[in-house]
Amino acid sequence: QVQLRESGPGLVTPSQTLSLTCTVSGGAITASYYYWSWIRQAPGKGLEWIGHIDYAGITYYSPDLRSRTSISRDTSKNQFTLQLTSLTPEDNAVYFCARSDYGSGYVGFDFWGQGAQVVVSS
């Protein structure tokens, strides 16, 4: 079974950069045709898609966050990472990594990490 797990700091300082890592087990992040996404949910809000990196390493970001977002991967560790710069309290959220199986035609997310709580505070 595919499992995803987020890791990184739970508390970060405003104006700094958030770095989160998603470690994947049970399946390769290079396998066709999976897309690996970062999604967040702020308190009292709905889910917000941040961006993804696909099986070939191609990235795409939400227009709302593109200027502050970078997603990369380390295939040797079967990990992909999120970097979000210029943090403000509006970035307080639970951050999830998740998989999309585009090979099956499913456009949602079939596997999710447990979520990582991130607090932006001085």
Side-chain angles (χ1 to χ4, degrees), residues 2-104:
V2 175
Q3 294 182 326
L4 296 83
R5 184 178 70 255
E6 304 90 347
S7 60
L11 178 66
V12 292
T13 303
S15 80
Q16 299 300 302
T17 297
L18 173 67
S19 183
L20 293 173
T21 296
C22 183
T23 300
V24 179
S25 61
I29 61 173
T30 55
S32 303
Y33 297 95
Y34 300 119
Y35 288 51
W36 306 90
S37 288
W38 286 101
I39 303 146
R40 69 181 184 180
Q41 186 170 34
K45 305 296 184 180
L47 296 169
E48 179 183 19
W49 180 76
I50 299 168
H52 68 226
I53 186 165
D54 73 8
Y55 59 95
I58 306 301
T59 57
Y60 194 83
Y61 307 118
S62 168
D64 294 334
L65 298 168
R66 190 192 323 275
S67 65
R68 299 196 291 132
T69 305
S70 179
I71 298 174
S72 59
R73 68 179 184 174
D74 185 339
T75 59
S76 69
K77 297 180 179 179
N78 214 39
Q79 296 176 331
F80 63 103
T81 62
L82 169 70
Q83 293 188 81
L84 186 65
T85 64
S86 302
L87 295 171
T88 75
E90 293 182 353
D91 296 310
N92 290 347
V94 177
Y95 286 74
F96 300 93
C97 54
R99 188 185 81 167
S100 294
D101 184 359
Y102 278 78
S104 71

